[in-house]
Coordinates of all heavy atoms in Angstrom, one line a residue:
M17 N 47.7 11.1 16.2 CA 48.2 9.8 16.5 C 49.5 9.8 17.2 O 50.4 10.7 16.8 CB 48.3 9.0 15.2 CG 47.1 8.5 14.6 SD 47.5 7.4 13.3 CE 46.3 7.9 12.2
T18 N 49.7 8.9 18.0 CA 51.0 8.8 18.7 C 52.0 8.0 18.0 O 51.6 7.2 17.2 CB 50.8 8.3 20.2 OG1 50.4 6.9 20.1 CG2 49.7 9.0 21.0
L19 N 53.2 8.1 18.4 CA 54.3 7.3 17.8 C 54.0 5.8 18.0 O 54.2 4.9 17.1 CB 55.7 7.6 18.4 CG 56.3 8.9 17.9 CD1 57.6 9.1 18.7 CD2 56.6 8.8 16.4
D20 N 53.4 5.4 19.2 CA 53.2 4.1 19.5 C 52.0 3.5 18.6 O 51.9 2.3 18.4 CB 52.7 3.9 21.0 CG 53.9 4.1 21.9 OD1 55.1 3.9 21.5 OD2 53.6 4.4 23.1
E21 N 51.2 4.4 18.1 CA 50.1 3.9 17.2 C 50.6 3.9 15.7 O 50.2 3.0 15.0 CB 48.9 4.9 17.3 CG 48.2 5.0 18.7 CD 47.2 6.1 18.7 OE1 47.5 7.2 18.2 OE2 46.2 5.9 19.4
V22 N 51.4 4.8 15.4 CA 51.8 4.9 14.1 C 52.9 4.0 13.6 O 52.8 3.4 12.5 CB 52.3 6.5 13.8 CG1 53.0 6.7 12.4 CG2 51.2 7.4 13.9
T23 N 53.9 3.9 14.5 CA 55.1 3.1 14.0 C 54.8 1.7 13.7 O 55.2 1.2 12.6 CB 56.1 3.1 15.3 OG1 56.4 4.5 15.4 CG2 57.3 2.3 14.8
P24 N 54.0 0.9 14.4 CA 53.7 -0.4 14.0 C 52.9 -0.5 12.6 O 53.2 -1.5 11.9 CB 52.9 -1.1 15.1 CG 52.7 -0.1 16.1 CD 53.4 1.2 15.7
R25 N 52.1 0.4 12.4 CA 51.3 0.4 11.2 C 52.2 0.6 10.0 O 52.1 0.0 8.9 CB 50.2 1.4 11.2 CG 49.1 0.9 12.2 CD 47.9 1.7 12.3 NE 47.1 1.6 11.1 CZ 46.0 2.3 10.7 NH1 45.6 3.2 11.6 NH2 45.5 2.1 9.6
I26 N 53.1 1.6 10.1 CA 54.1 1.9 9.0 C 55.0 0.8 8.8 O 55.3 0.3 7.7 CB 54.8 3.2 9.3 CG1 53.9 4.4 9.2 CG2 56.0 3.4 8.3 CD1 54.4 5.7 9.7
T27 N 55.5 0.2 9.9 CA 56.4 -0.9 9.8 C 55.7 -2.1 9.1 O 56.4 -2.7 8.2 CB 56.9 -1.4 11.3 OG1 57.5 -0.3 11.8 CG2 57.8 -2.5 11.2
D28 N 54.5 -2.4 9.5 CA 53.8 -3.5 8.8 C 53.6 -3.3 7.4 O 53.8 -4.2 6.6 CB 52.5 -3.8 9.6 CG 52.6 -4.4 10.9 OD1 53.7 -4.9 11.3 OD2 51.6 -4.4 11.7
F29 N 53.3 -2.0 7.0 CA 53.1 -1.8 5.6 C 54.3 -1.9 4.7 O 54.4 -2.6 3.7 CB 52.5 -0.3 5.5 CG 52.4 0.2 4.0 CD1 51.4 -0.3 3.2 CD2 53.4 0.9 3.4 CE1 51.3 0.0 1.9 CE2 53.3 1.3 2.1 CZ 52.2 0.7 1.3
I30 N 55.4 -1.5 5.3 CA 56.7 -1.6 4.6 C 57.1 -3.1 4.5 O 57.5 -3.5 3.4 CB 57.8 -0.7 5.3 CG1 57.5 0.7 5.1 CG2 59.2 -1.1 4.8 CD1 58.4 1.7 5.8
R31 N 56.9 -3.8 5.5 CA 57.3 -5.2 5.5 C 56.5 -6.0 4.5 O 57.0 -6.7 3.7 CB 57.0 -5.9 6.9 CG 58.1 -5.7 7.9 CD 57.8 -6.6 9.1 NE 58.9 -6.5 10.0 CZ 59.0 -6.0 11.2 NH1 57.8 -5.8 11.8 NH2 60.1 -5.9 11.9
E32 N 55.2 -5.7 4.5 CA 54.3 -6.5 3.6 C 54.4 -6.0 2.2 O 54.3 -6.8 1.3 CB 52.8 -6.4 4.1 CG 52.6 -7.0 5.4 CD 52.9 -8.5 5.4 OE1 52.6 -9.3 4.5 OE2 53.6 -9.0 6.5
S33 N 54.5 -4.7 2.0 CA 54.5 -4.2 0.6 C 55.8 -4.2 -0.1 O 55.8 -4.4 -1.4 CB 54.0 -2.7 0.7 OG 52.8 -2.6 1.2
F34 N 57.0 -4.1 0.6 CA 58.2 -3.9 0.0 C 59.2 -5.0 0.4 O 60.3 -5.1 -0.3 CB 58.9 -2.5 0.3 CG 57.9 -1.4 0.1 CD1 57.9 -0.4 1.0 CD2 57.1 -1.3 -1.1 CE1 57.0 0.7 0.9 CE2 56.2 -0.3 -1.2 CZ 56.2 0.7 -0.2
L35 N 59.0 -5.8 1.4 CA 60.0 -6.8 1.9 C 59.5 -8.1 1.9 O 60.0 -9.0 2.6 CB 60.5 -6.4 3.2 CG 61.2 -4.9 3.4 CD1 61.5 -4.6 4.8 CD2 62.4 -4.9 2.4
D36 N 58.4 -8.4 1.1 CA 57.8 -9.8 1.1 C 57.5 -10.4 2.5 O 57.8 -11.5 2.8 CB 58.7 -10.8 0.3 CG 58.8 -10.4 -1.2 OD1 57.8 -9.8 -1.7 OD2 59.9 -10.5 -1.7
G37 N 57.1 -9.5 3.4 CA 56.8 -9.9 4.8 C 58.0 -9.9 5.7 O 57.9 -10.2 6.9
D38 N 59.2 -9.6 5.2 CA 60.4 -9.5 6.0 C 60.6 -10.8 6.7 O 60.7 -10.7 8.0 CB 60.3 -8.3 6.9 CG 61.7 -8.0 7.6 OD1 62.7 -8.4 7.1 OD2 61.6 -7.4 8.7
P39 N 60.8 -11.9 6.1 CA 60.9 -13.2 6.8 C 62.1 -13.3 7.8 O 62.0 -14.1 8.7 CB 61.0 -14.2 5.6 CG 61.5 -13.5 4.5 CD 60.9 -12.1 4.7
K40 N 63.1 -12.6 7.5 CA 64.3 -12.6 8.4 C 64.2 -11.6 9.5 O 65.0 -11.5 10.4 CB 65.6 -12.4 7.7 CG 65.8 -13.4 6.6 CD 67.1 -13.2 5.9 CE 67.4 -14.3 4.9 NZ 68.6 -14.1 4.1
G41 N 63.1 -10.9 9.5 CA 62.9 -9.8 10.5 C 64.1 -8.8 10.6 O 64.4 -8.3 11.7
E42 N 64.5 -8.3 9.4 CA 65.6 -7.3 9.4 C 65.1 -5.9 9.5 O 66.0 -5.0 9.8 CB 66.3 -7.5 8.0 CG 67.1 -8.9 7.9 CD 67.7 -9.0 6.5 OE1 67.4 -8.2 5.6 OE2 68.4 -10.0 6.4
L43 N 63.8 -5.7 9.3 CA 63.3 -4.2 9.4 C 63.2 -3.8 10.8 O 62.6 -4.5 11.6 CB 62.0 -4.0 8.7 CG 61.4 -2.7 8.6 CD1 62.4 -1.7 7.9 CD2 60.1 -2.8 8.1
T44 N 63.9 -2.7 11.2 CA 63.7 -2.1 12.5 C 63.3 -0.7 12.3 O 63.3 -0.2 11.2 CB 65.1 -2.2 13.3 OG1 66.0 -1.3 12.6 CG2 65.6 -3.6 13.4
E45 N 63.1 0.1 13.4 CA 62.8 1.5 13.3 C 63.9 2.3 12.8 O 63.6 3.4 12.3 CB 62.4 1.9 14.7 CG 61.1 1.4 15.2 CD 60.6 2.1 16.5 OE1 61.0 3.3 16.8 OE2 60.0 1.5 17.3
V46 N 65.1 1.9 12.8 CA 66.2 2.6 12.3 C 66.9 2.1 11.1 O 68.0 2.4 10.6 CB 67.3 2.8 13.5 CG1 66.7 3.7 14.5 CG2 67.8 1.5 13.9
T47 N 66.3 1.0 10.4 CA 66.8 0.5 9.1 C 66.8 1.6 8.1 O 65.9 2.3 7.9 CB 65.9 -0.6 8.7 OG1 65.9 -1.7 9.5 CG2 66.4 -1.1 7.3
P48 N 68.0 1.8 7.4 CA 68.1 3.0 6.5 C 67.4 2.7 5.2 O 67.9 2.0 4.3 CB 69.6 3.0 6.3 CG 70.1 1.7 6.6 CD 69.3 1.1 7.6
L49 N 66.2 3.1 5.1 CA 65.3 2.7 4.0 C 65.8 3.3 2.7 O 65.7 2.6 1.6 CB 63.8 3.2 4.2 CG 63.2 2.6 5.5 CD1 61.9 3.3 5.7 CD2 63.0 1.1 5.3
L50 N 66.3 4.4 2.6 CA 66.8 5.0 1.4 C 68.1 4.4 1.0 O 68.3 4.0 -0.2 CB 66.9 6.5 1.5 CG 65.7 7.3 1.7 CD1 65.9 8.7 2.1 CD2 64.7 7.1 0.6
E51 N 68.9 4.2 1.9 CA 70.3 3.6 1.7 C 70.2 2.2 1.2 O 70.9 1.8 0.3 CB 71.1 3.7 3.0 CG 72.5 3.2 2.8 CD 73.3 3.4 4.2 OE1 73.2 4.4 4.9 OE2 74.0 2.3 4.5
W52 N 69.3 1.4 1.8 CA 69.0 0.1 1.4 C 68.2 0.0 0.1 O 67.8 -1.2 -0.3 CB 68.5 -0.7 2.5 CG 69.4 -1.1 3.6 CD1 70.7 -0.6 3.9 CD2 69.2 -2.0 4.7 NE1 71.2 -1.1 4.9 CE2 70.4 -2.0 5.5 CE3 68.2 -2.8 5.1 CZ2 70.5 -2.8 6.6 CZ3 68.4 -3.6 6.2 CH2 69.4 -3.5 7.0
E53 N 67.7 1.1 -0.4 CA 66.9 1.2 -1.6 C 65.5 0.5 -1.3 O 65.0 0.0 -2.3 CB 67.6 0.6 -2.8 CG 68.9 1.5 -3.1 CD 69.6 1.0 -4.3 OE1 69.2 -0.1 -4.9 OE2 70.6 1.6 -4.6
V54 N 65.1 0.4 -0.1 CA 63.7 -0.1 0.1 C 62.7 1.0 -0.4 O 61.7 0.6 -1.0 CB 63.5 -0.3 1.7 CG1 62.0 -0.6 1.9 CG2 64.5 -1.4 2.1
L55 N 63.0 2.2 -0.2 CA 62.2 3.4 -0.6 C 62.8 3.9 -2.0 O 63.8 4.6 -1.9 CB 62.0 4.4 0.3 CG 61.1 4.1 1.5 CD1 61.0 5.4 2.4 CD2 59.8 3.6 1.0
N56 N 62.2 3.6 -3.0 CA 62.6 4.3 -4.4 C 61.4 5.1 -4.7 O 60.5 5.3 -3.9 CB 62.9 3.1 -5.4 CG 61.8 2.2 -5.6 OD1 60.6 2.5 -5.4 ND2 62.1 0.9 -5.8
S57 N 61.4 5.6 -6.0 CA 60.3 6.5 -6.3 C 59.0 5.9 -6.3 O 58.0 6.5 -5.7 CB 60.6 7.2 -7.6 OG 60.7 6.3 -8.7
M58 N 58.8 4.7 -6.8 CA 57.6 4.0 -6.8 C 57.1 3.6 -5.4 O 56.0 3.9 -5.0 CB 57.6 2.8 -7.6 CG 56.4 2.0 -7.6 SD 54.9 2.9 -8.2 CE 55.0 2.5 -10.0
N59 N 58.0 3.0 -4.6 CA 57.6 2.7 -3.2 C 57.3 3.8 -2.3 O 56.4 3.8 -1.6 CB 58.7 1.8 -2.6 CG 58.9 0.5 -3.2 OD1 58.0 0.1 -4.0 ND2 59.9 -0.2 -2.8
S60 N 58.0 5.0 -2.6 CA 57.7 6.2 -1.9 C 56.3 6.7 -2.2 O 55.6 7.1 -1.3 CB 58.7 7.3 -2.2 OG 60.0 6.9 -1.7
A61 N 55.9 6.6 -3.4 CA 54.6 7.0 -3.9 C 53.6 6.1 -3.2 O 52.5 6.6 -2.7 CB 54.4 7.0 -5.3
L62 N 53.8 4.8 -3.2 CA 52.9 4.0 -2.5 C 52.8 4.2 -1.0 O 51.7 4.1 -0.4 CB 53.4 2.5 -2.8 CG 53.2 2.0 -4.2 CD1 53.9 0.6 -4.4 CD2 51.8 1.9 -4.7
L63 N 53.9 4.5 -0.3 CA 54.0 4.9 1.0 C 53.2 6.1 1.3 O 52.3 6.1 2.2 CB 55.4 4.9 1.6 CG 55.5 5.3 3.0 CD1 54.8 4.3 4.0 CD2 57.0 5.5 3.4
L64 N 53.3 7.1 0.6 CA 52.6 8.3 0.7 C 51.1 8.1 0.5 O 50.3 8.7 1.2 CB 53.1 9.4 -0.4 CG 54.4 10.0 0.0 CD1 55.0 10.8 -1.2 CD2 54.3 10.8 1.2
N65 N 50.7 7.2 -0.5 CA 49.3 6.9 -0.6 C 48.7 6.2 0.6 O 47.6 6.4 1.1 CB 49.2 6.1 -1.9 CG 47.6 5.8 -2.2 OD1 46.9 6.8 -2.4 ND2 47.2 4.6 -2.1
F66 N 49.5 5.3 1.2 CA 49.1 4.6 2.4 C 49.0 5.6 3.6 O 47.9 5.5 4.3 CB 50.2 3.5 2.8 CG 50.1 3.0 4.1 CD1 49.2 2.0 4.5 CD2 50.8 3.5 5.2 CE1 49.0 1.5 5.7 CE2 50.7 3.0 6.6 CZ 49.7 2.0 6.8
L67 N 49.8 6.5 3.7 CA 49.7 7.4 4.7 C 48.5 8.3 4.5 O 47.7 8.6 5.6 CB 50.9 8.4 4.8 CG 52.3 7.7 5.1 CD1 53.5 8.8 5.0 CD2 52.3 7.1 6.4
R68 N 48.2 8.6 3.3 CA 47.0 9.5 3.0 C 45.7 8.6 3.2 O 44.7 9.1 3.9 CB 47.1 10.0 1.7 CG 45.9 10.9 1.2 CD 46.0 11.6 -0.1 NE 46.5 10.7 -1.2 CZ 47.8 10.7 -1.7 NH1 48.7 11.6 -1.3 NH2 48.1 9.8 -2.6
E69 N 45.6 7.5 2.7 CA 44.4 6.6 2.7 C 44.1 6.0 4.0 O 43.1 6.0 4.5 CB 44.4 5.6 1.6 CG 44.5 6.2 0.2 CD 43.2 6.9 -0.1 OE1 42.1 6.5 0.2 OE2 43.4 8.0 -0.8
E70 N 45.2 5.4 4.6 CA 45.0 4.5 5.8 C 45.1 5.3 7.2 O 44.5 5.1 8.1 CB 46.0 3.4 5.8 CG 45.8 2.4 4.7 CD 44.4 1.7 4.7 OE1 43.9 1.4 5.8 OE2 43.8 1.5 3.6
L71 N 46.2 6.3 7.2 CA 46.4 7.0 8.3 C 45.8 8.4 8.3 O 45.9 9.2 9.2 CB 47.8 7.1 8.6 CG 48.6 5.7 8.8 CD1 50.1 6.0 9.1 CD2 48.0 4.9 9.9
R72 N 45.2 8.8 7.1 CA 44.6 10.0 7.0 C 45.5 11.2 7.2 O 45.2 12.2 7.8 CB 43.3 10.2 7.9 CG 42.3 9.1 7.7 CD 41.6 9.3 6.5 NE 40.5 8.4 6.2 CZ 40.3 7.7 5.2 NH1 41.1 7.9 4.1 NH2 39.3 6.8 5.1
V73 N 46.7 11.1 6.7 CA 47.7 12.2 6.8 C 48.2 12.5 5.4 O 48.7 11.7 4.6 CB 49.0 11.7 7.6 CG1 50.0 12.7 7.6 CG2 48.5 11.3 9.0
D74 N 48.1 13.8 5.1 CA 48.6 14.4 3.9 C 49.9 15.0 4.1 O 50.1 15.9 4.9 CB 47.7 15.5 3.2 CG 46.5 14.9 2.6 OD1 46.7 13.8 1.9 OD2 45.4 15.4 2.7
V75 N 51.0 14.4 3.6 CA 52.3 14.9 3.8 C 52.6 16.1 2.8 O 52.5 15.9 1.6 CB 53.4 13.8 3.6 CG1 54.8 14.4 3.8 CG2 53.1 12.6 4.5
P76 N 52.8 17.2 3.4 CA 53.1 18.4 2.5 C 54.4 18.1 1.6 O 55.4 17.5 2.1 CB 53.4 19.6 3.5 CG 52.9 19.1 4.8 CD 53.0 17.7 4.8
L77 N 54.4 18.7 0.4 CA 55.5 18.5 -0.5 C 56.8 18.9 0.1 O 57.8 18.3 0.0 CB 55.2 19.3 -1.8 CG 56.3 19.1 -2.9 CD1 56.4 17.6 -3.3 CD2 55.9 19.9 -4.1
A78 N 56.9 20.0 0.9 CA 58.0 20.5 1.6 C 58.6 19.4 2.6 O 59.7 19.5 3.0 CB 57.8 21.8 2.2
S79 N 57.8 18.6 3.0 CA 58.2 17.5 4.1 C 58.7 16.3 3.4 O 59.1 15.4 4.2 CB 57.0 17.2 5.1 OG 56.7 18.4 5.8
I80 N 58.5 16.1 2.2 CA 59.0 14.9 1.5 C 60.5 15.1 1.2 O 60.8 15.7 0.1 CB 58.2 14.6 0.2 CG1 56.7 14.5 0.6 CG2 58.7 13.4 -0.5 CD1 55.7 14.4 -0.6
N81 N 61.3 14.6 2.1 CA 62.8 14.7 1.8 C 63.5 13.5 2.5 O 62.8 12.7 3.3 CB 63.2 16.1 2.5 CG 62.9 16.2 3.9 OD1 63.2 15.4 4.7 ND2 62.3 17.4 4.2
A82 N 64.8 13.4 2.3 CA 65.5 12.3 2.8 C 65.5 12.2 4.3 O 65.5 11.2 4.9 CB 66.9 12.4 2.2
A83 N 65.6 13.4 5.0 CA 65.6 13.4 6.4 C 64.3 12.7 7.0 O 64.4 12.0 7.9 CB 65.8 14.7 7.0
N84 N 63.2 13.1 6.4 CA 61.9 12.7 6.9 C 61.5 11.2 6.6 O 60.7 10.6 7.2 CB 60.7 13.5 6.6 CG 60.8 14.9 7.3 OD1 61.3 15.0 8.4 ND2 60.2 15.9 6.6
F85 N 62.2 10.7 5.6 CA 61.9 9.3 5.0 C 63.1 8.4 5.2 O 63.2 7.3 4.6 CB 61.4 9.4 3.6 CG 60.0 9.8 3.5 CD1 59.7 11.2 3.7 CD2 59.0 8.9 3.6 CE1 58.4 11.6 3.6 CE2 57.7 9.4 3.6 CZ 57.3 10.8 3.6
R86 N 64.1 8.8 6.0 CA 65.3 8.0 6.3 C 65.0 6.6 6.8 O 65.7 5.7 6.3 CB 66.3 8.9 7.2 CG 67.5 8.1 7.7 CD 68.2 9.0 8.6 NE 67.5 9.4 9.8 CZ 67.1 10.6 10.1 NH1 67.6 11.7 9.3 NH2 66.5 11.0 11.1
D87 N 64.1 6.5 7.8 CA 63.8 5.3 8.4 C 62.4 5.3 9.0 O 61.7 6.3 8.9 CB 64.8 4.9 9.5 CG 65.1 6.0 10.5 OD1 64.1 6.8 10.7 OD2 66.2 6.2 11.0
V88 N 61.9 4.2 9.5 CA 60.5 4.1 10.1 C 60.4 5.1 11.2 O 59.4 5.7 11.3 CB 60.3 2.7 10.5 CG1 58.9 2.6 11.4 CG2 60.2 1.7 9.4
A89 N 61.4 5.3 12.0 CA 61.3 6.2 13.1 C 61.1 7.6 12.6 O 60.2 8.4 13.2 CB 62.6 6.1 14.0
S90 N 61.8 8.1 11.6 CA 61.6 9.4 11.0 C 60.3 9.6 10.4 O 59.6 10.6 10.6 CB 62.7 9.6 10.0 OG 63.9 9.6 10.5
I91 N 59.8 8.5 9.7 CA 58.5 8.7 9.1 C 57.3 8.7 10.2 O 56.4 9.5 10.1 CB 58.3 7.4 8.2 CG1 59.2 7.4 7.0 CG2 56.8 7.5 7.6 CD1 59.3 6.1 6.3
S92 N 57.5 7.9 11.2 CA 56.5 7.9 12.3 C 56.6 9.2 13.0 O 55.4 9.8 13.3 CB 56.9 6.8 13.3 OG 56.8 5.5 12.7
K93 N 57.7 9.8 13.2 CA 57.7 11.1 13.8 C 57.1 12.2 13.0 O 56.4 13.0 13.5 CB 59.2 11.5 14.1 CG 59.4 12.8 14.8 CD 60.8 13.1 15.1 CE 61.0 14.4 15.8 NZ 62.5 14.8 16.0
L94 N 57.3 12.2 11.7 CA 56.6 13.1 10.8 C 55.2 13.0 10.9 O 54.4 13.9 11.0 CB 57.2 12.9 9.4 CG 56.5 13.7 8.3 CD1 56.7 15.1 8.4 CD2 56.9 13.1 6.9
V95 N 54.7 11.8 10.7 CA 53.2 11.5 10.7 C 52.6 11.9 12.0 O 51.6 12.5 12.0 CB 53.0 10.0 10.4 CG1 51.5 9.7 10.6 CG2 53.4 9.7 9.0
S96 N 53.2 11.6 13.0 CA 52.8 11.8 14.5 C 52.6 13.4 14.6 O 51.7 13.9 15.1 CB 53.6 11.2 15.5 OG 53.1 11.5 16.8
G97 N 53.7 14.1 14.1 CA 53.7 15.5 14.2 C 52.6 16.2 13.3 O 52.0 17.1 13.7
L98 N 52.4 15.6 12.1 CA 51.4 16.1 11.3 C 50.0 15.9 11.8 O 49.0 16.8 11.6 CB 51.5 15.6 9.9 CG 52.7 16.0 9.1 CD1 52.8 15.2 7.8 CD2 52.7 17.5 8.8
T99 N 49.8 14.9 12.5 CA 48.4 14.6 13.1 C 48.1 15.4 14.3 O 47.0 15.6 14.6 CB 48.2 13.2 13.4 OG1 49.1 12.7 14.4 CG2 48.3 12.3 12.2
A100 N 49.2 16.0 14.9 CA 49.0 16.8 16.2 C 48.7 18.2 15.8 O 48.3 18.9 16.6 CB 50.4 16.7 17.0
V101 N 49.0 18.6 14.6 CA 48.7 20.0 14.1 C 47.3 20.1 13.8 O 46.7 19.5 13.0 CB 49.6 20.3 12.9 CG1 49.3 21.7 12.4 CG2 51.1 20.2 13.1
P102 N 46.6 21.2 14.5 CA 45.2 21.3 14.2 C 45.1 21.9 12.8 O 45.9 22.7 12.4 CB 44.8 22.3 15.3 CG 46.0 22.9 15.9 CD 47.2 22.0 15.6
T103 N 44.0 21.6 12.1 CA 43.8 22.0 10.8 C 42.9 23.4 10.9 O 42.1 23.5 11.8 CB 42.9 21.1 10.0 OG1 41.7 20.7 10.6 CG2 43.8 19.8 9.7
E104 N 43.2 24.3 10.0 CA 42.6 25.6 10.0 C 41.1 25.4 9.6 O 40.8 24.6 8.7 CB 43.3 26.5 9.1 CG 44.7 26.9 9.6 CD 45.3 27.9 8.8 OE1 44.6 28.8 8.2 OE2 46.6 27.8 8.6
G105 N 40.3 26.2 10.1 CA 38.9 26.2 9.7 C 38.0 25.1 10.2 O 36.9 24.9 9.8
V106 N 38.6 24.4 11.1 CA 37.7 23.3 11.7 C 37.2 23.6 13.0 O 37.7 24.3 13.9 CB 38.5 22.0 11.8 CG1 37.8 20.8 12.5 CG2 39.1 21.6 10.5

């Protein structure tokens, strides 16, 4: 998946799931999700489940870190990169 495909889906999920639809439109691609406490342990688990179920991306444990989940842009880049990697045995 490309960044253009992934970014709006992740943004919409975060808006609807964690920001009550973001009525003020404050969420951007560079909003600091961890700093603003949008992503806490429960929300991070929900986001990882969304990535796995809806985008069909399993994020490796080693990739679950503050740098990769800093903002929507970082998450999108991670997801896009993981979908570009061919799986072994296929």
Side-chain angles (χ1 to χ4, degrees):
M17 281 188 222
T18 67
L19 285 174
D20 291 338
E21 295 169 323
V22 171
T23 301
R25 293 186 68 187
I26 292 171
T27 301
D28 289 345
F29 175 78
I30 291 172
R31 275 192 176 120
E32 295 303 318
S33 299
F34 311 138
L35 301 175
D36 296 324
D38 191 26
K40 295 181 183 177
E42 295 176 352
L43 181 65
T44 68
E45 288 185 29
V46 294
T47 299
L49 300 174
L50 297 171
E51 186 178 315
W52 286 12
E53 298 178 0
V54 173
L55 288 183
N56 54 33
S57 58
M58 176 59 89
N59 290 352
S60 295
L62 293 170
L63 176 60
L64 288 167
N65 187 60
F66 167 79
L67 298 177
R68 182 175 43 256
E69 296 294 321
E70 297 297 322
L71 301 182
R72 303 286 185 227
V73 174
D74 284 320
V75 178
L77 186 57
S79 296
I80 302 172
N81 57 54
N84 287 333
F85 285 81
R86 172 180 57 243
D87 50 34
V88 171
S90 299
I91 299 166
S92 297
K93 183 178 176 183
L94 171 68
V95 169
S96 182
L98 289 171
T99 59
V101 176
T103 56
E104 292 183 34
V106 176

